[in-house]
Amino acid sequence: MHPADTTDPQPSATAPATARAVVFTLPSSAAGSEREDTIAVEAPLELRIGGRPVTVLMRTPGHDEELVTGFLFGEGVIADADDIIAFERPDADHANVLNVRLMVAHRAFNLDRPFYSNSSCGICGKRSLESVELHAPAVQSSLTISRTVLTELPERLRAAQPVFARTGGVHASGLFTAAGELVAAREDVGRHNALDKLVGRALNEGQVPLSDRVLLVSGRVSYELVQKAVTAGIPILAAVGAPSSLAVELAARFGITLIGFLRPSGMNVYANPQRVMD
């Protein structure tokens, strides 16, 4: 197996992904104590396009260019990574500002969201029901994966989560082969941000659509994660938590195999089970 491209906890181009905080530990039946603890950083990233502020993404610093690439792709602002001419930071003191120069500048201002996007919601602030509707083709893929391999994926993803190991405060997304090899993993306080980072990486590598990859996400599966998987052409989406009703509906409609409650002991398959073998 080749080594997976996992998350770098403190990429040099941005602010740290973790911080220190003083906490008071209060056990149920003993005196409390004071100590330092490591916590995940949540910081605003001001996204500018052509020098004009477009939105603020609340994220964990690290892989910001991948995050923005995946975000712009998911929003339909870019068709592929070649639409981006360059990423620019105003100066070394502005690690939380990122300017993007695009090939077709006027497309950048069709983003249908307000100036602020929080880390818990990938579609918060959409202005109408129509803007939530997904306009994309169904995912076409002959990829299959065995139940045995699927049950091994959560442990492999957990091993590639250095920020979670230190803080317990971030989500993760991982891309796997059908044989269970971890290709890449990303972490973030926002589950949709972690996925955007993965999609941004894949765009930069010319790998979209990801029709031969399995996506595993920590936590639950909501609408926006399925939406992003459809846009990236990912045929199998698994999670350690539960899916929402709209996530199940969208996965069934767009041909994605949706798996929830993935454990070593088994799983629930909510849509398109034909890709899960034996």
Side-chain angles (χ1 to χ4, degrees):
M1 286 187 179
H2 298 290
D5 176 15
T6 56
T7 301
D8 178 358
Q10 293 190 8
S12 58
T14 60
T18 62
R20 301 292 289 175
V22 175
V23 300
F24 296 91
T25 302
L26 299 174
S28 59
S29 59
S33 62
E34 180 179 316
R35 64 180 176 86
E36 275 201 343
D37 194 15
T38 302
I39 58 176
V41 170
E42 181 177 26
L45 177 66
E46 180 180 316
L47 171 58
R48 300 176 184 175
I49 298 180
R52 173 180 171 181
V54 174
T55 193
V56 171
L57 304 172
M58 300 302 296
R59 95 298 188 205
T60 297
H63 307 286
D64 285 346
E65 289 81 2
E66 291 178 351
L67 169 63
V68 169
T69 300
F71 171 77
L72 294 177
F73 178 73
E75 293 294 327
V77 178
I78 62 172
D80 55 51
D82 291 338
D83 286 342
I84 297 175
I85 299 174
F87 291 102
E88 302 165 337
R89 294 189 187 268
D91 54 62
D93 295 327
H94 288 78
N96 291 321
V97 177
L98 188 62
N99 182 57
V100 185
R101 288 194 290 125
L102 298 178
M103 293 290 292
V104 186
H106 72 273
R107 292 177 60 190
F109 307 115
N110 293 329
L111 283 171
D112 184 20
R113 64 172 59 237
F115 189 72
Y116 171 82
S117 176
N118 72 47
S119 58
S120 64
C121 179
I123 60 170
C124 293
K126 290 287 190 177
R127 295 188 177 97
S128 66
L129 288 176
E130 182 180 358
S131 65
V132 175
E133 178 65 24
L134 178 59
H135 302 283
V139 174
Q140 301 292 332
S141 173
S142 59
L143 184 71
T144 60
I145 188 170
S146 75
R147 285 188 294 171
T148 301
V149 170
L150 274 169
T151 58
E152 296 171 349
L153 299 189
E155 182 178 351
R156 295 178 184 178
L157 181 60
R158 177 65 64 87
Q161 296 178 241
V163 179
F164 181 84
R166 297 172 65 192
T167 68
V170 292
H171 290 281
S173 291
L175 285 174
F176 294 83
T177 66
E181 178 184 356
L182 177 61
V183 177
R186 294 290 182 264
E187 298 181 271
D188 200 279
V189 288
R191 57 173 58 87
H192 54 91
N193 290 342
L195 181 50
D196 276 341
K197 290 176 179 180
L198 273 186
V199 173
R201 173 194 175 276
L203 282 168
N204 291 334
E205 298 293 327
Q207 297 172 350
V208 175
L210 291 161
S211 55
D212 60 346
R213 293 289 182 257
V214 177
L215 171 63
L216 174 63
V217 299
S218 62
R220 62 185 177 84
V221 180
S222 51
Y223 171 89
E224 71 267 21
L225 293 186
V226 179
Q227 181 187 50
K228 291 177 185 296
V230 171
T231 304
I234 301 171
I236 301 175
L237 168 54
V240 298
S244 70
S245 63
L246 197 55
V248 173
E249 178 184 327
L250 196 68
R253 175 181 166 194
F254 285 91
I256 285 184
T257 298
L258 180 59
I259 299 160
F261 294 108
L262 182 59
R263 303 284 190 275
S265 58
M267 70 203 74
N268 292 343
V269 184
Y270 292 88
N272 297 298
Q274 68 274 11
R275 292 193 181 98
V276 180
M277 305 302 291
D278 60 63

